[in-house]
Amino acid sequence: MNSDSGLAGKAVIVTGGSRGIGRAIVERFAAEGADVTFFFRDNAAAAAEVITAGRASGRAIAAEQVDVRDSAACAAAVERVAERCGRIDVLVNNAGVIRDNLLALLGDDDVRTVLETNVGGVFNATRAAVPHMISRRAGKIVNISSVAGEKGGRGQTNYAASKGAINAFTRSLAVELASRKITVNCVAPGVIETEMSAAVREQAPDEVKSRILLRRFGTPEEVAHAVWFFASRYADYVTGQVLHVDGGFKME
Ligand code: NDP
């Protein structure tokens, strides 16, 4: 779909773009004519598939193998994109992991990996991209949190803490960057059909759906539409917001 979104020709970085929601975001932006680079961690086959599918539709999509937990690697990859495109217009902080378990059963690595990826990764990519946006007095940052950031969920203390942090990060950075004409917003998905949510969806589908007002799971494309909105010119006057794309999710 092509629209007057203002995204054609824009340099866009999407972290975690090789699969799931990130891939849908990459494809949404590429369809708008944006110059999209995505980061992925280690699934080179999935990354190659995104690039091949993009080429088949006549779209140039680039990829960088970057672990977002590594701030130096993030900075170097962002510099490569800036050098190639001459600018960074949009950053989508999407990369994330989940390691659900009851608090007593969480290992050090379950806590560290979730916080370092979901929160540390957002800091690393954003700190690298923001100077490029400040120098041009323009930019859009869109973070992906989760319903878990605001609503309690059994076995989700580590994940919920990381996603609540992203919501708070969004609001504070929006305050910091408003004078530079950079907007910072967040999309909080509910249960979306990707590998990450497979266990939840397969174990108790009816029980989970009964907590969703629309009685179905969401698709990665439905999340990508909301990200597209925040990055488009239609959201030029929107900043510091968390938009729930969750079908009306109710949790205890
Ligand atoms: P997937 O597990 O399907 O994909 C995760 C993506 O993140 C992959 O591209 C993966 O790369 C990448 N990634 C993971 N860790 C790193 C890292 N350290 N460095 C770089 N890239 C990394 O997840 P989803 O698409 O489901 O989730 C995307 C985002 O949406 C996450 O932030 C998640 O928390 C959030 N979310 C998802 C929901 C859902 O129901 N699916 C609900 C609410 C929020 P690789 O392919 O190399 O592994």
Side-chain angles (χ1 to χ4, degrees):
M1 185 179 97
N2 242 315
S3 66
D4 187 17
S5 63
L7 288 166
K10 291 281 167 72
V12 177
I13 294 176
V14 179
T15 68
S18 50
R19 294 185 284 118
I21 293 170
R23 177 175 178 167
I25 296 168
V26 167
E27 292 177 340
R28 189 72 184 77
F29 282 110
E32 294 281 320
D35 188 340
V36 190
T37 304
F38 69 86
F39 295 176
F40 68 102
R41 180 187 43 190
D42 51 21
N43 194 334
E49 204 183 298
V50 178
I51 292 169
T52 307
R55 271 199 205 119
S57 337
R59 286 161 195 149
I61 297 170
E64 293 269 355
Q65 185 164 10
V66 185
D67 189 327
V68 293
R69 289 172 294 180
D70 181 340
S71 67
C74 266
V78 168
E79 286 315 306
R80 284 193 291 277
V81 177
E83 205 162 295
R84 184 171 58 76
C85 301
R87 55 206 271 176
I88 305 289
D89 296 300
V90 178
L91 169 67
V92 182
N93 284 306
N94 163 78
V97 290
I98 201 162
R99 297 269 188 96
D100 283 1
N101 216 333
L102 297 177
L103 182 76
L105 302 175
L106 285 173
D108 288 347
D109 189 53
D110 298 321
V111 177
R112 196 181 307 118
T113 301
V114 168
L115 292 175
E116 286 181 0
T117 306
N118 298 6
V119 186
V122 172
F123 274 93
N124 292 338
T126 309
R127 282 192 299 160
V130 157
H132 295 280
M133 296 178 173
I134 288 179
S135 67
R136 300 186 66 252
R137 293 284 190 279
K140 309 257 192 191
I141 297 168
V142 186
N143 302 316
I144 306 297
S145 66
S146 165
V147 285
E150 287 178 15
K151 296 175 182 170
R154 177 181 290 268
Q156 291 212 302
T157 50
N158 53 349
Y159 185 73
S162 76
K163 294 302 185 176
I166 293 174
N167 291 346
F169 174 94
T170 300
R171 289 186 281 264
S172 286
L173 192 62
V175 173
E176 269 188 42
L177 295 179
S179 63
R180 315 299 173 97
K181 299 191 173 15
I182 299 165
T183 64
V184 189
N185 290 291
C186 185
V187 175
V191 183
I192 308 299
E193 288 164 347
T194 70
E195 283 172 50
M196 180 182 279
S197 65
V200 170
R201 286 183 291 111
E202 282 156 21
Q203 274 163 24
D206 294 338
E207 202 246 312
V208 178
K209 278 184 195 162
S210 73
R211 295 199 217 148
I212 302 170
L213 293 181
L214 297 180
R215 297 286 185 265
R216 67 171 177 86
F217 303 127
T219 66
E221 291 73 22
E222 286 171 323
V223 179
H225 290 316
V227 175
W228 168 88
F229 167 69
F230 279 137
S232 78
R233 70 178 181 84
Y234 300 116
D236 281 350
Y237 198 52
V238 181
T239 195
Q241 301 304 304
V242 178
L243 175 62
H244 294 250
V245 179
D246 61 6
F249 200 89
K250 303 173 282 175
M251 274 171 97
E252 285 162 33

